[in-house]
Amino acid sequence: MGLSQPHLLGIEPLSVDDINHILEVADNYANQLDKGNFQSDILKGKIILTLFFENSTRTRTSFEIAARRLGAEVVHWDVSTSSLAKGENFNDTIKNLSAMQPDAIIVRHSEFGAPHTIATMVDCPVINAGDSWNEHPTQALLDALTIKRRLGKLEGLNIAICGDIAHSRVAGSNMRSLTKLGANVRIVAPPALMPEKFPVEGIEKFDNLEEGIKDCDVIMMLRNQMERMQSGLISSEAEFFENYGLTKDKMRNAKDNVIIMHPGPMNRGVEIADDVADNKDHSVILEQVKNGIPTRMAVLDILIGGK
Ligand code: NCD
């Protein structure tokens, strides 16, 4: 069936059918992985190149495990030991890597739109693993899968995305996907971290955390993106935690079965308290990481394997 496009550059260009197709294939893979020892050779002989210009713990490893579960091989390109460090320009680097004919390229970059530029220069599918504060589509897809597998649906749910919205590509992709899937999306942020404009219509804004998460089915916390933040936007981490850090106490007006999400890496005691992050009844943070594998298997299978 495939997608309406050859690349996964963001949630923005995807149709609702595209998203549902990825989630359906991912859900299937999640069930198969749950049975244990899953190994397929559907992508045998394919070579996937990862280009990470920014740090990553979860995303790069998750893509690699997903690719290997489907029988593909992964080649990691390392920016610090590359010829970019010798002065080669970005376009020449990409053209040279493309000349080696990888079957897909996975890219993370600090520049807005870098994966889109690469997609115009190469002959294989390009997957965006995070570009600046723009999009991180596989994170939003694994988040949607996690909500669906936990709560059975997305349509009609009240979902609050909280914290440093202005600098978060996770928020950017989630606002797009969750509204496309019919959820009621709220944004909770201090005025200094609230963007002037959202990428989609119909989002409710709050600057008070307790009000913003009232009656919510899902609370998604975000890391303060200090690497993209001008200094002075937050007066202190202690004050941020006091007002915007999620604690058990502040959760009392959310729904009883509310789930707590965080894309990681977490700053405990800044945006989230330990007893929330590790809460067995509510936190699905490690389930998100687990669901990253079947989600990325689905994306690779659809874009390279032709499912
Ligand atoms: C996020 C990222 O890099 O965009 N992490 C991730 O991929 N799970 C979020 C972050 O860095 O805060």
PDB file of all heavy atoms in Angstrom, residues 54-59 108 129-130 132 135-136 139 142 168-170 222-225 227-228 262-266 296, ligand 1:
ATOM      1  N   GLU A  54      23.397  15.462  15.449  1.00  0.00           N
ATOM      2  CA  GLU A  54      23.123  15.848  16.841  1.00  0.00           C
ATOM      3  C   GLU A  54      23.127  14.588  17.682  1.00  0.00           C
ATOM      4  O   GLU A  54      22.915  13.490  17.161  1.00  0.00           O
ATOM      5  CB  GLU A  54      21.706  16.416  16.963  1.00  0.00           C
ATOM      6  CG  GLU A  54      21.566  17.877  16.745  1.00  0.00           C
ATOM      7  CD  GLU A  54      20.149  18.338  17.115  1.00  0.00           C
ATOM      8  OE1 GLU A  54      19.330  17.545  17.606  1.00  0.00           O
ATOM      9  OE2 GLU A  54      19.875  19.507  16.878  1.00  0.00           O
ATOM     10  N   ASN A  55      23.292  14.760  18.998  1.00  0.00           N
ATOM     11  CA  ASN A  55      23.329  13.595  19.894  1.00  0.00           C
ATOM     12  C   ASN A  55      22.005  12.840  19.916  1.00  0.00           C
ATOM     13  O   ASN A  55      20.961  13.404  19.654  1.00  0.00           O
ATOM     14  CB  ASN A  55      23.596  14.059  21.333  1.00  0.00           C
ATOM     15  CG  ASN A  55      24.955  14.683  21.454  1.00  0.00           C
ATOM     16  OD1 ASN A  55      25.772  14.587  20.538  1.00  0.00           O
ATOM     17  ND2 ASN A  55      25.194  15.321  22.577  1.00  0.00           N
ATOM     18  N   SER A  56      22.114  11.578  20.290  1.00  0.00           N
ATOM     19  CA  SER A  56      20.913  10.757  20.428  1.00  0.00           C
ATOM     20  C   SER A  56      21.244   9.522  21.258  1.00  0.00           C
ATOM     21  O   SER A  56      22.317   8.946  21.105  1.00  0.00           O
ATOM     22  CB  SER A  56      20.456  10.316  19.038  1.00  0.00           C
ATOM     23  OG  SER A  56      19.520   9.271  19.126  1.00  0.00           O
ATOM     24  N   THR A  57      20.337   9.151  22.149  1.00  0.00           N
ATOM     25  CA  THR A  57      20.482   7.873  22.857  1.00  0.00           C
ATOM     26  C   THR A  57      19.455   6.923  22.304  1.00  0.00           C
ATOM     27  O   THR A  57      19.764   5.861  21.773  1.00  0.00           O
ATOM     28  CB  THR A  57      20.198   8.042  24.374  1.00  0.00           C
ATOM     29  OG1 THR A  57      21.133   8.945  24.894  1.00  0.00           O
ATOM     30  CG2 THR A  57      20.300   6.710  25.096  1.00  0.00           C
ATOM     31  N   ARG A  58      18.181   7.307  22.434  1.00  0.00           N
ATOM     32  CA  ARG A  58      17.083   6.424  22.069  1.00  0.00           C
ATOM     33  C   ARG A  58      16.912   6.263  20.567  1.00  0.00           C
ATOM     34  O   ARG A  58      16.812   5.154  20.052  1.00  0.00           O
ATOM     35  CB  ARG A  58      15.746   6.981  22.609  1.00  0.00           C
ATOM     36  CG  ARG A  58      15.444   6.643  24.028  1.00  0.00           C
ATOM     37  CD  ARG A  58      14.605   7.751  24.622  1.00  0.00           C
ATOM     38  NE  ARG A  58      15.477   8.894  24.766  1.00  0.00           N
ATOM     39  CZ  ARG A  58      16.171   9.153  25.857  1.00  0.00           C
ATOM     40  NH1 ARG A  58      16.038   8.414  26.907  1.00  0.00           N
ATOM     41  NH2 ARG A  58      16.996  10.181  25.914  1.00  0.00           N
ATOM     42  N   THR A  59      16.846   7.390  19.847  1.00  0.00           N
ATOM     43  CA  THR A  59      16.369   7.331  18.468  1.00  0.00           C
ATOM     44  C   THR A  59      17.296   6.519  17.569  1.00  0.00           C
ATOM     45  O   THR A  59      16.853   5.657  16.828  1.00  0.00           O
ATOM     46  CB  THR A  59      16.164   8.765  17.920  1.00  0.00           C
ATOM     47  OG1 THR A  59      15.328   9.463  18.844  1.00  0.00           O
ATOM     48  CG2 THR A  59      15.514   8.759  16.559  1.00  0.00           C
ATOM     49  N   ARG A 108      19.328  13.154  11.507  1.00  0.00           N
ATOM     50  CA  ARG A 108      18.997  14.113  12.572  1.00  0.00           C
ATOM     51  C   ARG A 108      19.928  15.305  12.400  1.00  0.00           C
ATOM     52  O   ARG A 108      21.142  15.136  12.246  1.00  0.00           O
ATOM     53  CB  ARG A 108      19.198  13.478  13.952  1.00  0.00           C
ATOM     54  CG  ARG A 108      19.137  14.494  15.064  1.00  0.00           C
ATOM     55  CD  ARG A 108      19.092  13.864  16.423  1.00  0.00           C
ATOM     56  NE  ARG A 108      17.780  13.313  16.708  1.00  0.00           N
ATOM     57  CZ  ARG A 108      17.415  12.881  17.908  1.00  0.00           C
ATOM     58  NH1 ARG A 108      18.260  12.932  18.913  1.00  0.00           N
ATOM     59  NH2 ARG A 108      16.207  12.388  18.111  1.00  0.00           N
ATOM     60  N   ALA A 129      14.835  12.086  11.602  1.00  0.00           N
ATOM     61  CA  ALA A 129      14.929  11.634  13.003  1.00  0.00           C
ATOM     62  C   ALA A 129      15.032  12.837  13.934  1.00  0.00           C
ATOM     63  O   ALA A 129      15.523  12.728  15.056  1.00  0.00           O
ATOM     64  CB  ALA A 129      16.134  10.718  13.161  1.00  0.00           C
ATOM     65  N   GLY A 130      14.566  14.000  13.466  1.00  0.00           N
ATOM     66  CA  GLY A 130      14.564  15.223  14.270  1.00  0.00           C
ATOM     67  C   GLY A 130      15.319  16.331  13.576  1.00  0.00           C
ATOM     68  O   GLY A 130      16.510  16.177  13.320  1.00  0.00           O
ATOM     69  N   SER A 132      16.017  20.371  14.115  1.00  0.00           N
ATOM     70  CA  SER A 132      15.884  21.578  14.923  1.00  0.00           C
ATOM     71  C   SER A 132      14.638  21.486  15.793  1.00  0.00           C
ATOM     72  O   SER A 132      14.379  20.447  16.406  1.00  0.00           O
ATOM     73  CB  SER A 132      15.856  22.790  13.999  1.00  0.00           C
ATOM     74  OG  SER A 132      15.825  23.962  14.749  1.00  0.00           O
ATOM     75  N   GLU A 135      10.329  19.111  13.366  1.00  0.00           N
ATOM     76  CA  GLU A 135       9.562  17.862  13.436  1.00  0.00           C
ATOM     77  C   GLU A 135      10.436  16.691  13.902  1.00  0.00           C
ATOM     78  O   GLU A 135      11.663  16.685  13.718  1.00  0.00           O
ATOM     79  CB  GLU A 135       8.977  17.518  12.062  1.00  0.00           C
ATOM     80  CG  GLU A 135       7.772  18.381  11.674  1.00  0.00           C
ATOM     81  CD  GLU A 135       6.552  17.555  11.283  1.00  0.00           C
ATOM     82  OE1 GLU A 135       6.340  16.463  11.855  1.00  0.00           O
ATOM     83  OE2 GLU A 135       5.808  18.013  10.406  1.00  0.00           O
ATOM     84  N   HIS A 136       9.780  15.709  14.479  1.00  0.00           N
ATOM     85  CA  HIS A 136      10.414  14.446  14.878  1.00  0.00           C
ATOM     86  C   HIS A 136       9.319  13.388  14.689  1.00  0.00           C
ATOM     87  O   HIS A 136       8.706  12.920  15.648  1.00  0.00           O
ATOM     88  CB  HIS A 136      10.860  14.554  16.339  1.00  0.00           C
ATOM     89  CG  HIS A 136      11.681  13.411  16.847  1.00  0.00           C
ATOM     90  ND1 HIS A 136      11.931  12.262  16.111  1.00  0.00           N
ATOM     91  CD2 HIS A 136      12.317  13.242  18.043  1.00  0.00           C
ATOM     92  CE1 HIS A 136      12.688  11.455  16.844  1.00  0.00           C
ATOM     93  NE2 HIS A 136      12.931  12.025  18.008  1.00  0.00           N
ATOM     94  N   GLN A 139       8.887   9.995  16.574  1.00  0.00           N
ATOM     95  CA  GLN A 139       8.532  10.143  17.996  1.00  0.00           C
ATOM     96  C   GLN A 139       7.009  10.312  18.131  1.00  0.00           C
ATOM     97  O   GLN A 139       6.376   9.666  18.967  1.00  0.00           O
ATOM     98  CB  GLN A 139       9.258  11.346  18.611  1.00  0.00           C
ATOM     99  CG  GLN A 139       8.949  11.575  20.086  1.00  0.00           C
ATOM    100  CD  GLN A 139       9.505  10.493  21.001  1.00  0.00           C
ATOM    101  OE1 GLN A 139      10.638  10.064  20.839  1.00  0.00           O
ATOM    102  NE2 GLN A 139       8.710  10.027  21.964  1.00  0.00           N
ATOM    103  N   LEU A 142       5.314   6.946  17.490  1.00  0.00           N
ATOM    104  CA  LEU A 142       5.421   5.982  18.605  1.00  0.00           C
ATOM    105  C   LEU A 142       4.592   6.458  19.788  1.00  0.00           C
ATOM    106  O   LEU A 142       4.065   5.644  20.560  1.00  0.00           O
ATOM    107  CB  LEU A 142       6.889   5.709  18.966  1.00  0.00           C
ATOM    108  CG  LEU A 142       7.710   6.766  19.714  1.00  0.00           C
ATOM    109  CD1 LEU A 142       7.559   6.640  21.215  1.00  0.00           C
ATOM    110  CD2 LEU A 142       9.183   6.611  19.367  1.00  0.00           C
ATOM    111  N   SER A 168      10.444  22.736  20.892  1.00  0.00           N
ATOM    112  CA  SER A 168      10.330  21.281  20.848  1.00  0.00           C
ATOM    113  C   SER A 168       9.797  20.740  19.522  1.00  0.00           C
ATOM    114  O   SER A 168       8.655  20.989  19.149  1.00  0.00           O
ATOM    115  CB  SER A 168       9.412  20.804  21.979  1.00  0.00           C
ATOM    116  OG  SER A 168       9.151  19.424  21.835  1.00  0.00           O
ATOM    117  N   ARG A 169      10.642  19.939  18.848  1.00  0.00           N
ATOM    118  CA  ARG A 169      10.180  19.274  17.623  1.00  0.00           C
ATOM    119  C   ARG A 169       9.211  18.135  17.960  1.00  0.00           C
ATOM    120  O   ARG A 169       8.372  17.756  17.146  1.00  0.00           O
ATOM    121  CB  ARG A 169      11.365  18.739  16.845  1.00  0.00           C
ATOM    122  CG  ARG A 169      12.286  17.825  17.640  1.00  0.00           C
ATOM    123  CD  ARG A 169      13.603  17.667  16.929  1.00  0.00           C
ATOM    124  NE  ARG A 169      14.581  16.884  17.660  1.00  0.00           N
ATOM    125  CZ  ARG A 169      15.892  17.043  17.519  1.00  0.00           C
ATOM    126  NH1 ARG A 169      16.356  17.961  16.703  1.00  0.00           N
ATOM    127  NH2 ARG A 169      16.734  16.285  18.181  1.00  0.00           N
ATOM    128  N   VAL A 170       9.330  17.599  19.190  1.00  0.00           N
ATOM    129  CA  VAL A 170       8.393  16.549  19.610  1.00  0.00           C
ATOM    130  C   VAL A 170       6.991  17.156  19.701  1.00  0.00           C
ATOM    131  O   VAL A 170       6.010  16.565  19.230  1.00  0.00           O
ATOM    132  CB  VAL A 170       8.824  15.948  20.973  1.00  0.00           C
ATOM    133  CG1 VAL A 170       7.787  14.962  21.472  1.00  0.00           C
ATOM    134  CG2 VAL A 170      10.191  15.274  20.850  1.00  0.00           C
ATOM    135  N   LEU A 222       7.678  17.636  28.445  1.00  0.00           N
ATOM    136  CA  LEU A 222       8.805  17.845  27.524  1.00  0.00           C
ATOM    137  C   LEU A 222      10.028  18.312  28.298  1.00  0.00           C
ATOM    138  O   LEU A 222       9.897  18.960  29.334  1.00  0.00           O
ATOM    139  CB  LEU A 222       8.462  18.922  26.498  1.00  0.00           C
ATOM    140  CG  LEU A 222       7.260  18.682  25.598  1.00  0.00           C
ATOM    141  CD1 LEU A 222       6.963  19.961  24.814  1.00  0.00           C
ATOM    142  CD2 LEU A 222       7.519  17.533  24.630  1.00  0.00           C
ATOM    143  N   ARG A 223      11.185  18.040  27.736  1.00  0.00           N
ATOM    144  CA  ARG A 223      12.443  18.545  28.315  1.00  0.00           C
ATOM    145  C   ARG A 223      12.623  20.010  27.929  1.00  0.00           C
ATOM    146  O   ARG A 223      12.291  20.407  26.802  1.00  0.00           O
ATOM    147  CB  ARG A 223      13.607  17.719  27.740  1.00  0.00           C
ATOM    148  CG  ARG A 223      14.985  18.116  28.228  1.00  0.00           C
ATOM    149  CD  ARG A 223      16.034  17.177  27.647  1.00  0.00           C
ATOM    150  NE  ARG A 223      16.181  17.347  26.204  1.00  0.00           N
ATOM    151  CZ  ARG A 223      17.012  18.214  25.625  1.00  0.00           C
ATOM    152  NH1 ARG A 223      17.765  19.001  26.362  1.00  0.00           N
ATOM    153  NH2 ARG A 223      17.098  18.297  24.308  1.00  0.00           N
ATOM    154  N   ASN A 224      13.167  20.804  28.856  1.00  0.00           N
ATOM    155  CA  ASN A 224      13.546  22.170  28.488  1.00  0.00           C
ATOM    156  C   ASN A 224      14.748  22.090  27.556  1.00  0.00           C
ATOM    157  O   ASN A 224      15.786  21.552  27.916  1.00  0.00           O
ATOM    158  CB  ASN A 224      13.919  22.985  29.734  1.00  0.00           C
ATOM    159  CG  ASN A 224      12.702  23.343  30.549  1.00  0.00           C
ATOM    160  OD1 ASN A 224      11.582  23.328  30.035  1.00  0.00           O
ATOM    161  ND2 ASN A 224      12.900  23.664  31.804  1.00  0.00           N
ATOM    162  N   GLN A 225      14.595  22.625  26.333  1.00  0.00           N
ATOM    163  CA  GLN A 225      15.632  22.489  25.300  1.00  0.00           C
ATOM    164  C   GLN A 225      16.673  23.605  25.477  1.00  0.00           C
ATOM    165  O   GLN A 225      16.701  24.568  24.711  1.00  0.00           O
ATOM    166  CB  GLN A 225      14.991  22.581  23.909  1.00  0.00           C
ATOM    167  CG  GLN A 225      13.791  21.661  23.716  1.00  0.00           C
ATOM    168  CD  GLN A 225      14.187  20.259  23.291  1.00  0.00           C
ATOM    169  OE1 GLN A 225      14.814  20.077  22.257  1.00  0.00           O
ATOM    170  NE2 GLN A 225      13.822  19.280  24.088  1.00  0.00           N
ATOM    171  N   GLU A 227      19.679  23.825  24.808  1.00  0.00           N
ATOM    172  CA  GLU A 227      20.582  24.048  23.679  1.00  0.00           C
ATOM    173  C   GLU A 227      19.980  24.960  22.609  1.00  0.00           C
ATOM    174  O   GLU A 227      20.694  25.492  21.759  1.00  0.00           O
ATOM    175  CB  GLU A 227      21.027  22.709  23.063  1.00  0.00           C
ATOM    176  CG  GLU A 227      19.971  21.891  22.337  1.00  0.00           C
ATOM    177  CD  GLU A 227      19.099  21.008  23.246  1.00  0.00           C
ATOM    178  OE1 GLU A 227      18.919  21.345  24.440  1.00  0.00           O
ATOM    179  OE2 GLU A 227      18.575  19.998  22.742  1.00  0.00           O
ATOM    180  N   ARG A 228      18.635  25.122  22.647  1.00  0.00           N
ATOM    181  CA  ARG A 228      18.003  25.990  21.651  1.00  0.00           C
ATOM    182  C   ARG A 228      17.379  27.233  22.289  1.00  0.00           C
ATOM    183  O   ARG A 228      16.686  27.988  21.628  1.00  0.00           O
ATOM    184  CB  ARG A 228      16.896  25.212  20.909  1.00  0.00           C
ATOM    185  CG  ARG A 228      17.430  24.244  19.872  1.00  0.00           C
ATOM    186  CD  ARG A 228      16.327  23.705  19.003  1.00  0.00           C
ATOM    187  NE  ARG A 228      15.835  22.439  19.508  1.00  0.00           N
ATOM    188  CZ  ARG A 228      16.435  21.265  19.292  1.00  0.00           C
ATOM    189  NH1 ARG A 228      17.518  21.201  18.567  1.00  0.00           N
ATOM    190  NH2 ARG A 228      15.947  20.162  19.800  1.00  0.00           N
ATOM    191  N   HIS A 262       6.724  11.078  28.323  1.00  0.00           N
ATOM    192  CA  HIS A 262       7.888  11.979  28.177  1.00  0.00           C
ATOM    193  C   HIS A 262       8.772  11.342  27.104  1.00  0.00           C
ATOM    194  O   HIS A 262       9.046  10.141  27.178  1.00  0.00           O
ATOM    195  CB  HIS A 262       8.641  12.081  29.510  1.00  0.00           C
ATOM    196  CG  HIS A 262       9.640  13.213  29.546  1.00  0.00           C
ATOM    197  ND1 HIS A 262      10.656  13.324  28.616  1.00  0.00           N
ATOM    198  CD2 HIS A 262       9.776  14.275  30.366  1.00  0.00           C
ATOM    199  CE1 HIS A 262      11.360  14.411  28.884  1.00  0.00           C
ATOM    200  NE2 HIS A 262      10.854  15.013  29.940  1.00  0.00           N
ATOM    201  N   PRO A 263       9.222  12.127  26.107  1.00  0.00           N
ATOM    202  CA  PRO A 263      10.013  11.502  25.041  1.00  0.00           C
ATOM    203  C   PRO A 263      11.421  11.124  25.486  1.00  0.00           C
ATOM    204  O   PRO A 263      12.111  10.361  24.792  1.00  0.00           O
ATOM    205  CB  PRO A 263      10.085  12.603  23.970  1.00  0.00           C
ATOM    206  CG  PRO A 263       9.932  13.891  24.721  1.00  0.00           C
ATOM    207  CD  PRO A 263       9.026  13.566  25.892  1.00  0.00           C
ATOM    208  N   GLY A 264      11.870  11.652  26.646  1.00  0.00           N
ATOM    209  CA  GLY A 264      13.253  11.470  27.059  1.00  0.00           C
ATOM    210  C   GLY A 264      14.161  12.339  26.196  1.00  0.00           C
ATOM    211  O   GLY A 264      13.767  12.705  25.091  1.00  0.00           O
ATOM    212  N   PRO A 265      15.329  12.687  26.648  1.00  0.00           N
ATOM    213  CA  PRO A 265      15.843  12.475  27.998  1.00  0.00           C
ATOM    214  C   PRO A 265      15.128  13.363  29.022  1.00  0.00           C
ATOM    215  O   PRO A 265      14.775  14.502  28.698  1.00  0.00           O
ATOM    216  CB  PRO A 265      17.330  12.867  27.871  1.00  0.00           C
ATOM    217  CG  PRO A 265      17.402  13.785  26.681  1.00  0.00           C
ATOM    218  CD  PRO A 265      16.302  13.381  25.770  1.00  0.00           C
ATOM    219  N   MET A 266      14.895  12.803  30.226  1.00  0.00           N
ATOM    220  CA  MET A 266      14.144  13.530  31.263  1.00  0.00           C
ATOM    221  C   MET A 266      15.085  14.309  32.151  1.00  0.00           C
ATOM    222  O   MET A 266      16.154  13.810  32.481  1.00  0.00           O
ATOM    223  CB  MET A 266      13.478  12.511  32.205  1.00  0.00           C
ATOM    224  CG  MET A 266      12.159  12.032  31.785  1.00  0.00           C
ATOM    225  SD  MET A 266      11.433  11.043  33.110  1.00  0.00           S
ATOM    226  CE  MET A 266      12.282   9.491  32.986  1.00  0.00           C
ATOM    227  N   ARG A 296       9.295   2.070  14.246  1.00  0.00           N
ATOM    228  CA  ARG A 296      10.354   2.289  13.234  1.00  0.00           C
ATOM    229  C   ARG A 296      10.450   1.093  12.285  1.00  0.00           C
ATOM    230  O   ARG A 296      10.778   1.264  11.109  1.00  0.00           O
ATOM    231  CB  ARG A 296      11.678   2.619  13.941  1.00  0.00           C
ATOM    232  CG  ARG A 296      11.544   3.981  14.619  1.00  0.00           C
ATOM    233  CD  ARG A 296      12.712   4.450  15.395  1.00  0.00           C
ATOM    234  NE  ARG A 296      12.484   5.824  15.820  1.00  0.00           N
ATOM    235  CZ  ARG A 296      12.340   6.226  17.094  1.00  0.00           C
ATOM    236  NH1 ARG A 296      12.431   5.367  18.101  1.00  0.00           N
ATOM    237  NH2 ARG A 296      12.116   7.508  17.367  1.00  0.00           N
TER     238      ARG A 296
HETATM  239  C1  NCD B   1      13.892  14.207  21.772  1.00  0.00           C
HETATM  240  C2  NCD B   1      14.663  14.829  20.640  1.00  0.00           C
HETATM  241  O1  NCD B   1      15.847  14.624  20.478  1.00  0.00           O
HETATM  242  O2  NCD B   1      14.000  15.513  19.894  1.00  0.00           O
HETATM  243  N1  NCD B   1      14.379  13.017  22.229  1.00  0.00           N
HETATM  244  C3  NCD B   1      14.053  11.872  21.565  1.00  0.00           C
HETATM  245  O3  NCD B   1      14.276  11.726  20.389  1.00  0.00           O
HETATM  246  N2  NCD B   1      13.415  10.928  22.282  1.00  0.00           N
HETATM  247  C4  NCD B   1      13.511  15.148  22.820  1.00  0.00           C
HETATM  248  C5  NCD B   1      14.564  15.942  23.522  1.00  0.00           C
HETATM  249  O4  NCD B   1      15.731  15.996  23.156  1.00  0.00           O
HETATM  250  O5  NCD B   1      14.180  16.568  24.521  1.00  0.00           O
END
